[in-house]
Amino acid sequence: MEGCNTRMLSSTARLLGFMVPLMVVSVMVVSMGSNSSNWIFASNYYPWAWSSVSSLSSARNSSTAFDEPPEDALDLRRRVVGGGEREEALSADYTLQRSAAAPPLGVQVTQAEPPSAGTKVELIITPKQSTVSTLFNDTHVLPSTPTISKRFTNFQVLEAKLQKARAAIRNAKNGNTSFDPDYVPSGPIYWNPKSFHRSYLEMEKLFKVFIYKEGEQPIFHNGPCGSIYSMEGNFIYKLETSSFRTQNPDQASVYFLPFSVVSMVHFIYDRSAPDHWLPLKQTVKDYVDLVAGRYPYWNRSIGSDHFMLSCHDWGPELSKSVPELFKNSIRALCNANVSEGFQPSKDVSIPEINLPGGRTNGLIGGPSPSRRPILAFFAGGLHGPIRPILLEHWENKDPDIEVHQYLPKGVSYSAMMRKSKYCICPSGYEVASPRMVEALYTGCVPVLVKDGYVPPFSDILNWKSFSVVVSVKEIPNLKSILAGISTRQYIRMQRRGVAVRRHFEVNLPPKRYDVFHMTLHSIWLRRMNTRLNGVEDS
C-alpha cells in the first residue's frame, strides 16, 4: 500500500462555550435512543433523497436516481417517532407558555466551568427585575429574583447548535448570498446554490469528526492513495490531519470507523478458503464490538452517527457484517447501487477516482469544444452486463462513435478523451466507474449508462446540467441521442462540467470545496438529517 503523506496527529481539547437567549426553563429529559433519518430534508436541494418518504421508496425502486427536483423550497423538518419522553431543545426560540400578566424575563446566561470530556455545562438563568413601577405597591418593593440552575450536556449543546444550523440552511434559499473569499456556488449545476453555500459554511463552523484510535495498520488508519481505490487512503490520511478532526469524542458530530476494505481484501482475503467472506466480515464485526464496548457512542445512537468509507466493490457487502452498520450508519460508498441496499437518505455516494501516481498531475485539462472532432468515445473490458450490449451495437460500427474493447497500439486513452465531445461511462460489474471523473477532468461531457446508480454528491449537484443520462435500453439509439443535442446545449454542458470539476479534484493539502470537503459535506448532511434525541424544531 502506498503512503499518501506524513501524518501529523494533533491533540487538542476545545472548550465549548455558548450564549443562547433563553426565555425560561422547563425540565429536560435526554432520550438517548436513536432514530435515524427522522428529519426530512425536503426541497430541490436534495431532490430524491430528502423529498419525502414516498419519493424515497420510488427512488430506490427506479433504475436511476435522476428525478426532477420538486417545486417546494428548502424545508428542514423533523418527525418524532417511537415512544419515550420528549426533550425540549436549548435554542434561540426556547420559550414557556406563561400568563400574559407575567413580567418579561431578562435572561443572563453564564457558564459555570469550562466543559471537558464527560462534564456538563451549567447555566445560571436569572429573571431580571421589572423596570415598570408597581401601581399597587407604595413602597415599590420589587419581587425577589429567583436563580434557576440548569445543566446541559455537551451532547445537548451540540444538538442545539445543529438545530440553529438547520434553521440557517432552511432560510438561505430566499436570503442574500453569503460572502466567501474563495468561491460562491451559483448556476444550474447546483440544485440550490444558496442553500448549499450556507450548509457548507455551517459545516466549517460546527462539524467535528472523532476517529477511533483503535486498530493498527495496515488494516486500519491506512489505505491506498493510488489506483481506482484512491479515495479510501486519501480520505483517511487527510481526515486524520484535518481541522475537522477532534480528539474529544464528546464534542464530535460523527464518529469514523477507520478501516480500509481495500486493505482487508489485500491482507486478509483468502481465495482458497471455503468461506472467503468470513474473516473479512469477522474483522469488521470485531472492530465495531471493540469500540462499542469501550465507548458509549455506538450504543447511544445504535450506530446512526457513525460512518464508514469504502471504494471497493465489496464495501456494501462487508457493511452487512453488523446489522446496525448496514441499516443505521452512514456508509460513504463508491458502489452506490440502490439495488444492493444503498439508501440515499442516509448513505453517501462518493466518486471513484483513478490516480495511478497518487496525484492528479497531468490528468486535468483539455481543449475547447471546437477542437473535439469525435462525437463519443469508450474503451474498456467486457465485464458486467452493460458493456457487452454497448460493444455489440457500436464497436467498429460508426466513425463518430469510437467504441473499443482494446485501443489500437499507440493510441492514448486520455488523448482520445480530450478529442471527444462525449465520453461514455457504462457500469462494469458494479455501478461505479472512474470514467465519470476522468471525463470531467479532461473536459469531456460524461454519458452515464447505468442502472440503479446514485451519482456522487447528488444531494448538491444537478448531474443533468453537465452530463447525459442514457438508459440501457437506449444504447442502440446512442448516436441519435447525442447528435440530437444542439451545439449550444453541448457547449453549456461542457462549460458546466469544467466548472463542477473543482468538486472532484484531489488536492494535497485539501482545498475548500474539493472532493475531500464535498465528501465531508455529504456526511454532514446525513448527520443533520438524523435525530439522536427528542429535540423539536420550532
Side-chain angles (χ1 to χ4, degrees):
M1 293 295 165
E2 299 178 19
C4 289
N5 63 311
T6 303
R7 294 175 291 164
M8 297 179 296
L9 299 178
S10 64
S11 140
T12 59
R14 302 203 179 190
L15 300 181
L16 181 61
F18 64 97
M19 294 290 295
V20 182
L22 299 175
M23 298 296 293
V24 345
V25 172
S26 67
V27 178
M28 301 180 66
V29 180
V30 179
S31 172
M32 300 315 264
S34 166
N35 292 292
S36 64
S37 298
N38 290 324
W39 287 303
I40 306 301
F41 213 148
S43 79
N44 54 2
Y45 182 43
Y46 190 6
W48 48 86
W50 305 102
S51 56
S52 68
V53 173
S54 59
S55 66
L56 260 179
S57 176
S58 172
R60 290 173 190 159
N61 296 327
S62 64
S63 60
T64 65
F66 285 94
D67 299 332
E68 292 296 332
E71 297 296 329
D72 55 326
L74 176 65
D75 183 19
L76 277 162
R77 296 174 292 173
R78 178 176 12 179
R79 298 178 299 162
V80 178
V81 298
E85 295 182 272
R86 201 182 68 169
E87 175 189 11
E88 296 297 333
L90 172 66
S91 66
D93 54 358
Y94 190 70
T95 59
L96 174 70
Q97 298 297 325
R98 64 180 187 273
S99 168
L105 290 176
V107 182
Q108 178 182 2
V109 184
T110 60
Q111 185 171 307
E113 292 181 298
S116 59
T119 63
K120 296 182 179 181
V121 179
E122 182 174 0
L123 302 181
I124 308 301
I125 303 162
T126 306
K128 288 183 180 178
Q129 297 177 345
S130 173
T131 57
V132 181
S133 298
T134 306
L135 299 177
F136 305 103
N137 189 337
D138 293 336
T139 62
H140 298 285
V141 176
L142 295 174
S144 60
T145 59
T147 298
I148 306 172
S149 177
K150 182 64 185 176
R151 297 178 70 85
F152 297 97
T153 65
N154 287 334
F155 177 68
Q156 291 169 308
V157 172
L158 170 64
E159 288 299 312
K161 288 185 176 182
L162 293 180
Q163 178 174 318
K164 292 183 68 176
R166 292 183 194 101
I169 297 169
R170 181 174 56 227
N171 297 330
K173 180 176 181 179
N174 299 319
N176 296 325
T177 301
S178 301
F179 171 77
D180 195 317
D182 294 329
Y183 178 68
V184 176
S186 63
I189 62 177
Y190 304 102
W191 292 114
N192 191 324
K194 289 184 179 179
S195 296
F196 164 50
H197 194 205
R198 171 48 54 192
S199 178
Y200 188 94
L201 296 177
E202 294 293 330
M203 176 192 74
E204 290 184 318
K205 289 191 300 182
L206 299 176
F207 197 43
K208 291 297 179 183
V209 181
F210 179 75
I211 306 173
Y212 286 112
K213 299 179 176 65
E214 287 70 16
E216 297 180 359
Q217 294 188 19
I219 306 301
F220 303 93
H221 305 280
N222 182 57
C225 294
S227 78
I228 61 174
Y229 305 124
S230 64
M231 279 294 289
E232 282 194 19
N234 273 284
F235 183 83
I236 290 172
Y237 290 129
K238 289 173 181 176
L239 182 61
E240 291 197 338
T241 58
S242 168
S243 62
F244 289 97
R245 183 184 186 181
T246 178
Q247 300 290 343
N248 183 352
D250 288 320
Q251 295 180 356
S253 309
V254 293
Y255 302 83
F256 180 45
L257 304 169
F259 57 79
S260 167
V261 174
V262 176
S263 296
M264 283 194 284
V265 172
H266 184 80
F267 291 103
I268 299 176
Y269 172 64
D270 183 359
R271 186 186 300 270
S272 62
D275 185 358
H276 62 267
W277 287 113
L278 181 60
L280 300 174
K281 290 188 173 182
Q282 192 64 45
T283 300
V284 176
K285 183 180 184 303
D286 289 347
Y287 189 78
V288 172
D289 288 345
L290 174 64
V291 299
R294 189 168 290 182
Y295 303 87
Y297 310 106
W298 176 274
N299 293 325
R300 180 182 72 180
S301 67
I302 322 177
S304 61
D305 56 354
H306 288 58
F307 75 97
M308 60 168 284
L309 182 141
S310 174
C311 226
H312 196 280
D313 293 347
W314 293 358
E317 182 64 27
L318 292 188
S319 71
K320 298 177 183 177
S321 310
V322 180
E324 294 80 10
L325 178 61
F326 179 78
K327 295 178 182 178
N328 299 338
S329 299
I330 302 166
R331 301 178 305 155
L333 303 171
C334 288
N335 188 22
N337 190 341
V338 295
S339 68
E340 296 181 1
F342 184 88
Q343 301 179 48
S345 60
K346 75 170 189 69
D347 296 328
V348 171
S349 175
I350 59 175
E352 188 171 283
I353 302 177
N354 187 15
L355 297 178
R359 301 291 181 98
T360 58
N361 297 346
L363 300 180
I364 298 176
S368 65
S370 62
R371 298 167 57 194
R372 295 175 178 267
I374 301 171
L375 179 63
F377 165 70
F378 168 79
L382 279 177
H383 52 83
I386 297 178
R387 295 184 185 186
I389 301 174
L390 177 65
L391 268 73
E392 177 186 353
H393 284 90
W394 294 107
E395 185 177 25
N396 300 320
K397 300 290 178 64
D398 192 305
D400 292 330
I401 307 291
E402 292 273 0
V403 173
H404 307 273
Q405 183 175 359
Y406 303 104
L407 280 174
K409 187 176 181 180
V411 177
S412 166
Y413 177 82
S414 60
M416 289 294 291
M417 296 192 88
R418 287 181 168 88
K419 291 179 181 178
S420 302
K421 291 181 172 66
Y422 300 94
C423 290
I424 306 169
C425 308
S427 296
Y429 287 124
E430 300 294 348
V431 292
S433 168
R435 286 173 177 79
M436 297 163 56
V437 174
E438 290 169 346
L440 293 174
Y441 278 5
T442 57
C444 188
V445 176
V447 179
L448 277 56
V449 188
K450 303 171 184 290
D451 282 337
Y453 181 55
V454 179
F457 315 136
S458 302
D459 40 12
I460 302 302
L461 303 178
N462 176 11
W463 276 80
K464 279 191 172 181
S465 71
F466 56 88
S467 69
V468 179
V469 183
V470 176
S471 65
V472 176
K473 65 181 180 181
E474 293 176 315
I475 288 177
N477 303 321
L478 189 59
K479 181 176 181 178
S480 61
I481 292 172
L482 299 180
I485 299 173
S486 68
T487 301
R488 184 177 181 181
Q489 180 60 17
Y490 157 68
I491 292 175
R492 283 199 196 103
M493 287 193 293
Q494 197 271 346
R495 289 176 177 172
R496 292 167 186 166
V498 171
V500 83
R501 75 183 176 205
R502 72 162 56 235
H503 300 313
F504 296 88
E505 291 181 5
V506 179
N507 295 303
L508 187 64
K511 297 179 181 179
R512 299 178 71 215
Y513 298 98
D514 68 1
V515 69
F516 171 75
H517 289 94
M518 290 297 288
T519 300
L520 276 179
H521 181 263
S522 286
I523 295 168
W524 151 262
L525 283 186
R526 302 322 185 277
R527 175 61 180 88
M528 291 282 284
N529 200 50
T530 302
R531 178 170 72 92
L532 295 183
N533 59 16
V535 177
E536 285 291 337
D537 285 332
S538 61

